[in-house]
Amino acid sequence: MKRKIAQAFITAALISSMAVSPVFATPSVEDLQNDKAAAEDEVVSLQSELTGILDKISTLEADLQKKQEEIDQANIDLEEAIVQQDQQYEDMKKRIQYMYESGSGNELELLLSAESFSDLVNKAEYIKNVHTYDKEKQEEYIATTKKIEKLSESLQEEAESMTQMQSQLEEDKTSLGTMIEGKQSEIAQLDADIQEAVAAQQAAEEARRQQEAAAAAAAAQDTAPSQPSNGGSGGGSSSGGSGSGGGSSTVIPPQGRDGWAVVAYARQFLGNPYVYGGNSLTNGIDCSGFTQQIYAAFGVSLGRTDTAQASAGVEIPLSQAQAGDLVVYYGHVGIYNGSGGLIHASSPSVGIIESPSCTYRQIRCVRRVL
């Protein structure tokens, strides 16, 4: 009777632990759906924001083209003004040549050569008209010169304005590139968190089914008739089961010094919590702390951040990655499991997990440190 009570107590405790653990370790399906919906809303918002920036760049490029056309037209006008100035100069030379190379000398001689009063009036009128024409030509020449100067100043202003617009356009493009990169990283992280949470939930459900099957088997054994001597054997079995449970929480030191030994050692900590800035493989640790502590067990010293670990060892292509290699992302790091997956301290919601694919987000580099 005491044996049955003890086994019933152990079974109840096992079922109780199974009921609590999944709720603590992984989010519910409803939580995952809400996270996915929130991620999709964020994607829509990001796309709208990027569209607005692209429209701004398109407008700036159109303005830039228009300014260039205006500058080209100003250059044409400037060339025409220069041609007009040259033509006025040629006309003035012809007038001077007509006056002073006609053989009549200066204006006084021209007046004294008048043969009659009427001829004198005509010649005086001619001299007046010549002076008026000369004055008009001089004023026209000055106006043309001012026009050229104004066109030159206007052209310079247009050039400076175009340069400012080009600088603004380059700044907008740079800002857009930075924003796109940052938002893509955020979207990738959101997708990764959803996938990892789903994987963790599926793993928890599988563990639950296995534990329930084990509890059912124990209950079935309890209902079978047994002899007193078998009771001692059953107690040994129970003791062995307890020992096995304690062994699962005991960390086995590295068995070897190759990449597969790294993977085997790292897998012992699957399911343990993620704590930002933490350094405990059992009580809480973050991504770079996880890789640092794992490799420390193999005598390899790594930096504390993913940026520092991105320069550790030697870089290799992803196509040549082997078990135990570091897979470094922008803001994250993990250990390649040798079959396309990743062992890493993922996030507070899922803790330390083994993801089926290491390409769930943009890879920065792969480093071999062992």
Side-chain angles (χ1 to χ4, degrees):
M1 182 65 180
K2 291 181 178 180
R3 173 177 172 272
K4 291 184 178 181
I5 293 174
Q7 288 186 342
F9 178 79
I10 293 173
T11 302
L14 179 63
I15 294 174
S16 175
S17 65
M18 291 188 300
V20 175
S21 296
V23 175
F24 175 79
T26 59
S28 66
V29 173
E30 182 178 359
D31 289 337
L32 292 174
Q33 291 173 343
N34 291 337
D35 289 343
K36 182 179 180 181
E40 291 173 346
D41 290 342
E42 180 68 11
V43 169
V44 172
S45 177
L46 294 175
Q47 289 175 340
S48 176
E49 185 176 353
L50 293 179
T51 299
I53 295 177
L54 290 173
D55 289 343
K56 181 180 179 181
I57 288 180
S58 178
T59 301
L60 286 173
E61 289 177 344
D63 291 343
L64 183 61
Q65 182 179 359
K66 182 178 179 181
K67 287 294 180 183
Q68 186 60 51
E69 292 174 355
E70 292 176 356
I71 289 176
D72 292 342
Q73 184 60 48
N75 285 329
I76 295 174
D77 294 342
L78 179 58
E79 292 176 357
E80 292 178 353
I82 293 174
V83 171
Q84 183 179 0
Q85 176 184 339
D86 293 340
Q87 183 62 46
Q88 289 175 358
Y89 180 70
E90 292 297 326
D91 292 343
M92 185 177 293
K93 287 198 302 182
K94 290 180 180 179
R95 179 191 59 76
I96 294 173
Q97 182 179 3
Y98 176 77
M99 279 189 61
Y100 297 103
E101 295 182 2
S102 62
S104 56
N106 55 33
E107 296 176 357
L108 180 58
E109 292 178 348
L110 182 63
L111 293 174
L112 293 176
S113 66
E115 297 178 354
S116 64
F117 179 78
S118 176
D119 187 26
L120 177 64
V121 172
N122 290 335
K123 289 182 178 182
E125 184 68 21
Y126 170 76
I127 293 172
K128 178 182 176 181
N129 291 338
V130 168
H131 279 287
T132 300
Y133 177 80
D134 182 60
K135 181 180 179 181
E136 291 176 352
K137 283 297 180 181
Q138 287 292 335
E139 291 176 351
E140 187 176 348
Y141 175 80
I142 293 172
T144 302
T145 303
K146 289 183 178 179
K147 181 179 180 181
I148 293 173
E149 292 175 350
K150 185 176 180 180
L151 283 172
S152 179
E153 292 174 358
S154 176
L155 182 61
Q156 183 64 32
E157 291 174 358
E158 294 292 341
E160 292 176 357
S161 176
M162 186 182 70
T163 300
Q164 292 176 358
M165 293 184 69
Q166 284 178 327
S167 299
Q168 182 63 46
L169 182 60
E170 290 301 324
E171 290 177 3
D172 288 343
K173 284 184 177 180
T174 300
S175 176
L176 175 62
T178 302
M179 182 173 293
I180 289 175
E181 182 178 352
K183 296 304 181 182
Q184 284 178 340
S185 178
E186 290 179 15
I187 293 172
Q189 184 59 53
L190 285 172
D191 290 338
D193 288 345
I194 292 174
Q195 293 176 5
E196 291 169 1
V198 171
Q201 188 177 41
Q202 292 174 347
E205 290 297 328
E206 180 61 24
R208 180 197 292 271
R209 286 192 293 268
Q210 292 178 358
Q211 291 174 347
E212 289 177 347
Q221 182 181 1
D222 182 57
T223 59
S226 60
Q227 299 297 326
S229 60
N230 292 337
S233 173
S237 174
S238 176
S239 174
S242 176
S244 174
S248 64
S249 62
T250 301
V251 176
I252 301 175
Q255 304 296 305
R257 196 174 155 71
D258 60 5
W260 289 110
V262 173
V263 171
Y265 181 70
R267 280 175 173 159
Q268 296 183 91
F269 305 101
L270 292 176
N272 288 347
Y274 174 103
V275 175
Y276 180 77
N279 289 294
S280 173
L281 289 169
T282 55
N283 297 325
I285 200 165
D286 58 17
C287 63
S288 56
F290 175 72
T291 51
Q292 183 190 50
Q293 294 292 331
I294 292 297
Y295 278 99
F298 290 84
V300 177
S301 178
L302 296 179
R304 184 57 181 81
T305 65
D306 59 279
T307 301
Q309 295 178 17
S311 59
V314 295
E315 183 173 1
I316 59 171
L318 177 61
S319 60
Q320 299 179 16
Q322 297 178 4
D325 288 339
L326 281 179
V327 182
V328 186
Y329 307 87
Y330 292 95
H332 193 58
V333 63
I335 298 173
Y336 186 67
N337 68 359
S339 58
L342 187 75
I343 304 173
H344 56 139
S346 175
S347 64
S349 62
V350 297
I352 300 174
I353 65 172
E354 184 168 2
S355 299
S357 174
C358 67
T359 58
Y360 70 96
R361 61 190 292 179
Q362 183 180 0
I363 294 177
R364 181 177 182 177
C365 63
V366 179
R367 312 292 298 190
R368 183 159 299 161
V369 297
L370 187 65

